[in-house]
Amino acid sequence: MSSTKSDFTLNYTQNLQMIYDEIGPTSDLRTRFIEHEKFQAAIVFLETLIAEEKIEQTVLLPITIHSSQSFVESIITSNLKSTVSFQKCIDSMIEGYAIITINNDEHVYLVGASKGNNRTITEPDNEKVLRGSHQGFIEDIHTNLQLIRQGIQDKNLMINYYTIGKKTKSKISMVYMKDIAQEELVEEVKTRIDSIDVDMMFSPGYMSEFIEDTQWSPFPQILITERPDRTIAHLMEGRVIIFGGGSPSALIMPANFFSFYQSPDDYNSRFLTGSFYRIIRLISFVIAITLPSIYIATVSFHFEVIPESLLLPVKGSLENLPYPPLVEALLMELTIELIREAGIRLPSSISATIGIVGGLVIGDAVVAAGVVSTTMLIIVSLTAVSSYVVPSPEMNTAIRILRFPLMIAATVLGYLGIVFGLMILLIHLCKLEAFNSPYFSPLAPFHWKELKDTFIRAPIWKLNKRPSDAQPQQQTKEENSRKWKQDE
């Protein structure tokens, strides 16, 4: 027994009253009294969190069988803890523990008997792959950590638990490889987690806004995934992962721009195939943010760049339109966004129908009514398809937002406005940092050796070094020093 002064009394009814006063008059508070040959006790718990059949199996049945025993520790041997702290007792009760208080004992005992309502492990709907693992995280944090432990069977895998939210008391865990992750990065993440002071915390996605570097940037600085294989790969590169209870998502930090365009399929297929599809994704980024603005600038200022064979058809489709190209583009882009939102919010059986209605009926109707040109319809459709190629929903949203300022710049200054807009975007990417790591690495700062896993995916046996943005600064400086000496 601990020598620490107990917050409880020897009278178990007084201990019960203390718990009642603290919890308050909630209807799901239950108490079951135990009359034993050697002692009197009571079990108090919240029935919304506790499976009563587990109470029967782990507490009441053993007490009935071992009626001659006088100590709870010798009767209940499954998931039993003791405490003398009143606050720990209340916190454990809210977490899903049953509390046993015994007459003439200053200790209370905590029995884990929470309800299990976890769904099965399935592949994430928004991160499907053709080859490789089809496992995905679920809402139970312990199951997610188990998947990571199974994938990395190494003693250097560190897991730290935190509680965030004064009212919700949400549990999160920080995971990293002790021998690989940068020590400064780990301490920086810990500092940012400790600085969060809120009443509620629903999920790691909710938390990302508190810990990322630049909240006003349209680009996400934390990579969110639901795939264990992707998470394990980033852990082995030296990154830090955050899991949260009640969410199937893992937050990966630091993330750079190119990590959002990488997919497990790149590594599960041959390197020529993986490189081809990665190049397609990066080209889709350029198409998604610039194609509408290029069309607007062309038909507004630069008709001379259109081939002669297309000049008359394009000019003819624009003659009777009531609105300028910018209004056309905004109208169609907003229509696409409405269709997308409707498809997400509606049941899956209806969302497919909405997509067909929006894509065919509305598109054909606006062209027939003379509100939008056929060329603009093609441009917007190709832009929408290109924006959905990116494997990350967060980067997908950033792309859809970025094309609107470029459309306005193209309306005002034509191609010059597009160039200015892209220059500002590039400067922002070069200046942006994620947890003190360059966001646009390996292009800014430039590391030509790391380009083998950026625009293309080199053969696996070539990928024998970890990215510099996730490596300890001291090691990077030493490598740079050796490189300069070799060059000299």
Side-chain angles (χ1 to χ4, degrees):
M1 296 293 182
S2 173
S3 60
T4 306
K5 188 178 185 303
S6 176
D7 295 336
F8 297 96
T9 67
L10 295 174
N11 190 323
Y12 80 109
T13 56
Q14 293 183 6
N15 296 338
L16 281 177
Q17 190 59 48
M18 291 168 59
I19 295 173
Y20 294 159
D21 293 341
E22 183 69 18
I23 295 295
T26 177
S27 299
D28 61 340
L29 186 64
R30 291 285 182 266
T31 306
R32 298 186 67 169
F33 293 93
I34 301 172
E35 294 291 336
H36 191 266
E37 293 181 1
K38 303 292 180 66
F39 56 82
Q40 292 178 314
I43 307 176
V44 58
F45 56 90
L46 295 169
E47 66 175 358
T48 48
L49 298 176
I50 295 296
E52 294 197 44
E53 61 273 11
K54 290 185 179 180
I55 296 292
E56 296 281 351
Q57 295 173 1
T58 60
V59 180
L60 300 180
L61 184 60
I63 287 176
T64 303
I65 296 175
H66 304 285
S67 58
S68 60
Q69 299 287 339
S70 59
F71 297 103
V72 172
E73 292 95 331
S74 59
I75 298 175
I76 305 172
T77 58
S78 175
N79 200 10
L80 181 72
K81 298 184 291 186
S82 66
T83 184
V84 294
S85 169
F86 179 71
Q87 189 59 47
K88 183 178 180 181
C89 169
I90 298 300
D91 292 342
S92 300
M93 190 175 177
I94 295 173
E95 291 174 7
Y97 283 86
I99 309 301
I100 303 177
T101 176
I102 303 173
N103 205 24
N104 298 322
D105 192 344
E106 291 184 336
H107 291 73
V108 298
Y109 298 89
L110 316 175
V111 181
S114 59
K115 290 182 178 179
N117 54 356
N118 299 327
R119 62 183 175 93
T120 57
I121 296 174
T122 57
E123 185 176 13
D125 290 334
N126 56 352
E127 291 184 86
K128 291 185 179 295
V129 296
L130 298 177
R131 298 176 60 187
S133 172
H134 293 280
Q135 287 185 331
F137 294 128
I138 62 173
E139 286 72 17
D140 181 57
I141 188 173
H142 298 292
T143 303
N144 296 340
L145 294 174
Q146 178 190 1
L147 293 173
I148 298 299
R149 282 285 187 189
Q150 290 175 347
I152 304 178
Q153 299 180 10
D154 190 277
K155 64 180 180 180
N156 291 301
L157 180 64
M158 298 288 107
I159 298 176
N160 296 337
Y161 291 105
Y162 298 88
T163 301
I164 298 180
K166 297 177 183 177
K167 300 298 183 183
T168 58
K169 298 187 182 301
S170 304
K171 289 190 176 299
I172 69 168
S173 63
M174 184 180 73
V175 186
Y176 62 95
M177 295 296 294
K178 183 176 66 175
D179 59 335
I180 299 176
Q182 180 181 347
E183 185 177 349
E184 291 84 356
L185 171 62
V186 174
E187 291 301 322
E188 181 69 21
V189 175
K190 287 181 180 179
T191 302
R192 297 190 188 191
I193 292 176
D194 292 334
S195 66
I196 299 175
D197 184 18
V198 291
D199 286 339
M200 62 180 182
M201 184 65 65
F202 290 130
S203 67
Y206 187 89
M207 184 180 65
S208 63
E209 206 167 327
F210 288 92
I211 61 176
E212 64 182 2
D213 291 65
T214 309
Q215 289 81 10
W216 296 103
S217 173
F219 293 100
Q221 295 131 61
I222 297 176
L223 178 61
I224 301 178
T225 183
E226 297 181 22
R227 297 192 60 87
D229 53 353
R230 196 176 189 185
T231 305
I232 290 171
H234 283 284
L235 277 172
M236 298 307 296
E237 289 183 349
R239 307 186 194 277
V240 177
I241 314 296
I242 292 180
F243 290 97
S247 172
S249 301
L251 272 62
I252 301 173
M253 56 204 74
N256 60 36
F257 174 81
F258 297 100
S259 63
F260 291 92
Y261 284 88
Q262 297 173 354
S263 170
D265 269 333
D266 297 347
Y267 305 93
N268 293 328
S269 56
R270 300 178 69 246
F271 79 93
L272 288 175
T273 307
S275 299
F276 172 74
Y277 285 113
R278 184 174 294 182
I279 292 172
I280 290 294
R281 291 189 208 109
L282 292 170
I283 291 175
S284 73
F285 169 77
V286 179
I287 294 175
I289 66 172
T290 61
L291 190 58
S293 56
I294 290 175
Y295 173 78
I296 292 172
T298 301
V299 299
S300 300
F301 298 96
H302 310 284
F303 251 109
E304 66 276 4
V305 303
I306 302 177
E308 292 184 2
S309 58
L310 291 177
L311 187 59
L312 290 178
V314 172
K315 188 67 176 177
S317 66
L318 296 173
E319 282 183 350
N320 299 320
L321 294 180
Y323 305 112
L326 176 63
V327 177
E328 268 190 278
L330 290 176
L331 179 63
M332 290 307 301
E333 290 289 350
L334 292 176
T335 302
I336 292 292
E337 294 298 322
L338 290 174
I339 294 172
R340 177 185 175 277
E341 284 297 310
I344 293 174
R345 309 303 166 199
L346 289 173
S348 57
S349 57
I350 306 176
S351 60
T353 306
I354 290 295
I356 295 173
V357 170
L360 298 179
V361 178
I362 297 179
D364 183 67
V366 294
V367 172
V371 179
V372 175
S373 66
T374 54
T375 310
M376 176 59 76
L377 187 62
I378 296 172
I379 295 294
V380 170
S381 301
L382 184 57
T383 303
V385 173
S386 299
S387 64
Y388 295 138
V389 171
V390 57
S392 169
E394 288 74 29
M395 184 60 75
N396 181 300
T397 305
I399 291 172
R400 299 205 312 272
I401 293 174
L402 285 172
R403 58 175 171 252
F404 289 102
L406 283 177
M407 288 161 54
I408 297 173
T411 303
V412 177
L413 296 174
Y415 287 162
L416 189 61
I418 298 175
V419 172
F420 282 152
L422 292 178
M423 286 177 61
I424 294 171
L425 186 63
L426 185 60
I427 292 171
H428 174 70
L429 284 171
C430 293
K431 290 181 61 178
L432 193 61
E433 289 187 346
F435 293 86
N436 302 324
S437 296
Y439 188 73
F440 212 43
S441 176
L443 294 185
F446 185 71
H447 300 284
W448 68 271
K449 289 185 178 180
E450 296 182 18
L451 294 178
K452 57 188 176 183
D453 195 24
T454 303
F455 298 102
I456 62 171
R457 198 275 286 173
I460 296 294
W461 53 271
K462 280 280 190 181
L463 306 178
N464 54 2
K465 290 187 178 180
R466 294 185 174 91
S468 60
D469 63 323
Q471 285 300 292
Q473 296 177 1
Q474 183 178 0
Q475 181 179 348
T476 304
K477 290 178 180 178
E478 291 173 359
E479 290 178 354
N480 290 338
S481 176
R482 287 196 298 268
K483 183 188 73 173
W484 283 111
K485 288 179 180 179
Q486 291 173 359
D487 292 340
E488 292 174 356

